[in-house]
Amino acid sequence: MKQILLRYGWKHTAILYDEDEVFFRRVGKNLALDFRQDSTLSRPFERPFSKSTSDFSSILIEASKYARGL
């Protein structure tokens, strides 16, 4: 993942994950932690959601805004 981001110069990241599923919650939290601990990567926007979420468009808009640091 890091090599892809660095190779293409991508700096804005959002990590969205289903907090109701143990696997995805662990992977999402650990991925965000790895990004934060690596000084060559920008701090990611972390956004868990639940399985009861019905409005994904607002989550994507929020992620788009905050991944860019606004």
Side-chain angles (χ1 to χ4, degrees), residues 1-68:
M1 176 66 76
K2 176 181 176 177
Q3 292 304 317
I4 293 171
L5 294 171
L6 294 175
R7 169 72 172 96
Y8 293 101
W10 294 338
K11 297 184 188 318
H12 309 298
T13 56
I15 300 171
L16 311 174
Y17 58 89
D18 183 343
E19 66 184 352
D20 295 324
E21 298 290 331
V22 173
F23 174 78
F24 294 114
R25 184 174 57 237
R26 283 193 171 185
V27 169
K29 285 182 177 287
N30 285 321
L31 185 58
L33 181 63
D34 287 347
F35 273 53
R36 287 186 184 105
Q37 291 177 343
D38 190 326
S39 63
T40 61
L41 298 173
S42 298
R43 182 178 173 90
F45 173 69
E46 182 180 354
R47 176 56 164 87
F49 60 89
S50 88
K51 63 182 172 186
S52 63
T53 301
S54 60
D55 184 13
F56 288 100
S57 63
S58 67
I59 291 173
L60 294 173
I61 290 169
E62 178 186 16
S64 175
K65 238 177 22 179
Y66 290 106
R68 291 178 176 90

